[in-house]
Amino acid sequence: MRKARGKESLGPTQSRGRRKRIVHVFCEGLVTEPSYIDVIKEYASDVDVRIANHNAPGSRRKPLKLVEAAVELMDREQRAAKRSGLEKKYWPQVWCLFDRDQHEGIETALKQARDGGVKVAFSHPCFEVWRLLHHKAVNGTFGGACGQVVARLPFARDPKDKADIKLVLPHQVTGRYPEARKHALQMNAQHGDHVALVNRDPYTDVHEFVEQGLGITSY
């Protein structure tokens, strides 16, 4: 197979010379986040979305390990973009999507990501908060228990959906982004600026990944 060289290795060129920016995504979840991205990426017309850790084992999906791998990839991508003379607006982005759950070292992972130019979409207690916001507003706290979030998903008791509750299906999210974003902003506003990000329960900023990473304003 011919090895891609120069600018083409940094993203495919579209018609009339337009280029798609590559977005590499490291997902903590093996099913939920990748299936969500598969649903919405068709709305990202100017972005080539690539899951960077499709086959990684669970031990490599913890936040610190995700960020470590993401920073290494970001360094390689930036050096390649500079060498090729690629316009900065087309430089690849690298994102990590991970949750608070019961993980250790979250603050360290967030700092390492910032220092390495990697962007993070963070949810507390888990990504399912973002799924829930597509259907209803959220108040109060989940006490760090993701199971409480899952139990409130409206399709958790639907026979056609509950077979694999981790899988995000198109009808669960499409047509609902504006409401999800509004609910997220309202929910996040419950926490004052003095509250550390890792202690904000519930919280999610996945909408920033959708808009800043994928360039999507609605789906």
Side-chain angles (χ1 to χ4, degrees), residues 67-100:
V67 169
E68 179 182 295
V71 169
E72 290 179 1
L73 177 59
M74 188 70 222
D75 181 62
R76 292 198 303 270
E77 292 291 281
Q78 284 190 335
R79 285 189 280 109
K82 289 177 182 178
R83 286 196 304 269
S84 71
L86 190 67
E87 290 183 70
K88 199 159 189 177
K89 64 181 179 179
Y90 294 122
W91 282 22
Q93 289 186 8
V94 180
W95 284 77
C96 287
L97 273 59
F98 59 79
D99 307 335
R100 177 64 184 92

Coordinates of all heavy atoms in Angstrom, one line a residue, residues 67-100:
V67 N -5.1 10.2 28.0 CA -4.4 11.5 27.8 C -2.9 11.3 27.4 O -2.4 12.0 26.5 CB -4.5 12.4 29.1 CG1 -3.6 13.6 29.0 CG2 -5.9 12.8 29.3
E68 N -2.3 10.3 28.0 CA -0.9 10.0 27.7 C -0.8 9.7 26.2 O 0.1 10.2 25.5 CB -0.4 8.8 28.5 CG 1.0 8.4 28.2 CD 1.4 7.2 29.0 OE1 1.5 7.3 30.3 OE2 1.6 6.1 28.5
A69 N -1.7 8.8 25.7 CA -1.6 8.4 24.3 C -2.0 9.6 23.4 O -1.5 9.8 22.3 CB -2.6 7.2 24.0
A70 N -3.0 10.4 23.8 CA -3.5 11.5 23.1 C -2.4 12.6 22.9 O -2.3 13.2 21.8 CB -4.7 12.1 23.7
V71 N -1.7 12.9 24.0 CA -0.6 13.9 23.9 C 0.5 13.4 23.0 O 1.0 14.2 22.2 CB 0.0 14.1 25.3 CG1 1.2 15.0 25.2 CG2 -1.1 14.9 26.2
E72 N 0.8 12.1 23.0 CA 1.8 11.6 22.0 C 1.4 11.8 20.6 O 2.1 12.2 19.7 CB 2.1 10.1 22.3 CG 2.8 9.9 23.6 CD 3.0 8.4 23.8 OE1 2.6 7.6 23.0 OE2 3.6 8.0 24.9
L73 N 0.1 11.5 20.3 CA -0.4 11.7 19.0 C -0.5 13.1 18.6 O -0.1 13.5 17.5 CB -1.8 11.1 18.9 CG -2.6 11.2 17.5 CD1 -1.7 10.6 16.4 CD2 -4.0 10.6 17.6
M74 N -0.9 14.0 19.5 CA -1.0 15.4 19.2 C 0.4 16.0 18.9 O 0.5 16.8 17.9 CB -1.5 16.2 20.5 CG -1.8 17.6 20.2 SD -3.2 17.9 19.1 CE -2.7 19.2 18.1
D75 N 1.4 15.5 19.6 CA 2.8 16.0 19.3 C 3.2 15.6 17.8 O 3.7 16.4 17.1 CB 3.8 15.4 20.3 CG 5.2 15.9 20.0 OD1 5.5 17.1 20.1 OD2 6.0 15.0 19.8
R76 N 2.9 14.3 17.5 CA 3.3 13.8 16.1 C 2.5 14.6 15.1 O 3.0 15.0 14.0 CB 3.0 12.4 16.0 CG 3.8 11.5 16.8 CD 3.8 10.0 16.3 NE 2.4 9.5 16.3 CZ 1.9 8.8 17.4 NH1 2.5 8.7 18.5 NH2 0.7 8.3 17.2
E77 N 1.2 14.9 15.3 CA 0.4 15.5 14.3 C 0.8 17.0 14.1 O 0.8 17.5 13.0 CB -1.1 15.5 14.8 CG -1.7 14.1 14.7 CD -1.9 13.6 13.3 OE1 -2.9 14.0 12.7 OE2 -1.1 12.8 12.9
Q78 N 1.1 17.7 15.2 CA 1.6 19.0 15.1 C 2.9 19.2 14.3 O 3.1 20.1 13.5 CB 1.7 19.7 16.5 CG 0.4 20.0 17.1 CD 0.6 20.9 18.4 OE1 1.6 20.8 19.0 NE2 -0.5 21.6 18.7
R79 N 3.8 18.2 14.6 CA 5.1 18.3 13.9 C 4.9 18.0 12.4 O 5.5 18.6 11.6 CB 6.1 17.3 14.5 CG 6.6 17.8 15.9 CD 7.8 16.9 16.4 NE 7.3 15.7 17.1 CZ 7.4 14.5 16.6 NH1 8.0 14.3 15.4 NH2 6.9 13.5 17.3
A80 N 4.0 17.1 12.1 CA 3.7 16.7 10.7 C 3.1 17.9 10.0 O 3.4 18.2 8.8 CB 2.9 15.5 10.6
A81 N 2.2 18.6 10.7 CA 1.5 19.7 10.1 C 2.5 20.9 9.8 O 2.4 21.5 8.8 CB 0.3 20.2 11.0
K82 N 3.4 21.1 10.7 CA 4.4 22.2 10.6 C 5.3 21.8 9.4 O 5.6 22.7 8.6 CB 5.2 22.3 11.8 CG 4.4 23.0 13.0 CD 5.3 23.1 14.2 CE 4.6 23.7 15.4 NZ 5.4 23.7 16.6
R83 N 5.7 20.6 9.3 CA 6.6 20.2 8.2 C 6.0 20.4 6.9 O 6.6 20.7 5.9 CB 7.1 18.8 8.4 CG 8.1 18.5 9.5 CD 8.8 17.2 9.3 NE 7.8 16.1 9.3 CZ 7.4 15.4 10.4 NH1 7.9 15.7 11.6 NH2 6.6 14.4 10.2
S84 N 4.7 20.1 6.8 CA 4.0 20.1 5.5 C 3.6 21.5 5.1 O 3.2 21.7 4.0 CB 2.8 19.2 5.6 OG 1.8 19.8 6.4
G85 N 3.7 22.5 6.0 CA 3.2 23.8 5.7 C 1.7 23.9 5.7 O 1.2 24.9 5.1
L86 N 1.0 23.0 6.3 CA -0.4 23.1 6.3 C -1.0 24.3 7.0 O -0.5 24.7 8.1 CB -1.0 21.8 7.0 CG -2.5 21.5 6.9 CD1 -2.9 21.1 5.5 CD2 -2.8 20.3 7.9
E87 N -2.0 24.9 6.5 CA -2.6 26.1 7.1 C -3.1 25.7 8.5 O -3.7 24.6 8.7 CB -3.8 26.6 6.3 CG -3.4 27.3 5.0 CD -4.6 27.9 4.3 OE1 -5.2 28.8 4.8 OE2 -5.0 27.3 3.3
K88 N -2.9 26.6 9.5 CA -3.2 26.2 10.9 C -4.6 25.9 11.1 O -5.0 25.0 11.9 CB -2.8 27.3 11.8 CG -2.6 26.9 13.2 CD -1.7 27.8 14.0 CE -1.4 27.2 15.4 NZ -0.5 28.1 16.2
K89 N -5.5 26.5 10.3 CA -7.0 26.2 10.5 C -7.3 24.7 10.1 O -8.4 24.2 10.5 CB -7.8 27.1 9.7 CG -7.6 27.0 8.2 CD -8.5 28.0 7.4 CE -8.4 28.0 5.9 NZ -9.2 28.9 5.2
Y90 N -6.4 24.1 9.4 CA -6.6 22.7 9.0 C -5.8 21.7 9.9 O -5.8 20.5 9.7 CB -6.2 22.5 7.6 CG -7.1 23.2 6.6 CD1 -6.6 24.1 5.7 CD2 -8.5 23.0 6.6 CE1 -7.4 24.7 4.8 CE2 -9.3 23.6 5.7 CZ -8.7 24.5 4.8 OH -9.5 25.2 3.9
W91 N -5.1 22.2 10.9 CA -4.3 21.3 11.7 C -5.2 20.4 12.5 O -6.3 20.7 12.9 CB -3.5 22.1 12.8 CG -2.2 22.7 12.2 CD1 -2.0 23.0 10.9 CD2 -1.1 23.2 12.9 NE1 -0.7 23.6 10.8 CE2 -0.2 23.7 12.0 CE3 -0.8 23.2 14.3 CZ2 1.1 24.2 12.4 CZ3 0.4 23.7 14.7 CH2 1.4 24.2 13.8
P92 N -4.8 19.1 12.6 CA -5.6 18.1 13.3 C -5.9 18.5 14.8 O -5.0 19.2 15.4 CB -4.8 16.8 13.2 CG -4.0 17.0 12.0 CD -3.6 18.5 12.0
Q93 N -7.0 18.1 15.3 CA -7.3 18.2 16.7 C -7.3 16.8 17.3 O -7.6 15.9 16.6 CB -8.6 18.9 17.0 CG -8.7 20.3 16.6 CD -10.1 20.9 17.1 OE1 -10.9 20.3 17.7 NE2 -10.3 22.2 16.7
V94 N -7.0 16.8 18.6 CA -7.0 15.5 19.4 C -7.9 15.8 20.6 O -7.6 16.7 21.4 CB -5.6 15.0 19.8 CG1 -5.8 13.7 20.5 CG2 -4.8 14.8 18.5
W95 N -8.9 14.9 20.8 CA -9.8 15.0 21.9 C -9.8 13.8 22.7 O -9.6 12.7 22.2 CB -11.2 15.3 21.4 CG -11.5 16.7 20.9 CD1 -11.2 17.2 19.7 CD2 -12.3 17.7 21.6 NE1 -11.6 18.5 19.7 CE2 -12.3 18.8 20.8 CE3 -12.9 17.7 22.9 CZ2 -12.9 20.0 21.2 CZ3 -13.5 18.9 23.3 CH2 -13.5 20.0 22.4
C96 N -10.1 13.9 24.0 CA -10.4 12.8 24.9 C -11.8 12.9 25.5 O -12.1 14.0 25.9 CB -9.4 12.7 26.0 SG -7.7 12.2 25.6
L97 N -12.5 11.9 25.4 CA -13.9 11.9 26.1 C -13.8 10.9 27.2 O -13.6 9.7 27.0 CB -14.9 11.4 25.1 CG -15.6 12.5 24.2 CD1 -14.6 13.2 23.3 CD2 -16.7 11.9 23.3
F98 N -13.9 11.4 28.5 CA -13.9 10.5 29.6 C -14.7 11.1 30.7 O -15.1 12.2 30.7 CB -12.5 10.2 30.1 CG -11.6 11.4 30.5 CD1 -11.8 12.0 31.8 CD2 -10.6 11.8 29.7 CE1 -11.0 13.0 32.2 CE2 -9.8 12.9 30.1 CZ -10.0 13.5 31.3
D99 N -15.0 10.2 31.7 CA -15.9 10.5 32.8 C -15.2 10.6 34.1 O -14.1 10.1 34.3 CB -17.0 9.4 32.9 CG -17.7 9.2 31.6 OD1 -17.7 10.1 30.7 OD2 -18.2 8.0 31.4
R100 N -16.0 11.1 35.1 CA -15.5 11.1 36.5 C -15.5 9.7 37.1 O -14.5 9.3 37.6 CB -16.3 12.0 37.4 CG -15.9 12.1 38.8 CD -14.5 12.6 39.0 NE -14.0 12.6 40.3 CZ -13.3 11.6 40.8 NH1 -13.0 10.5 40.1 NH2 -12.8 11.7 42.1

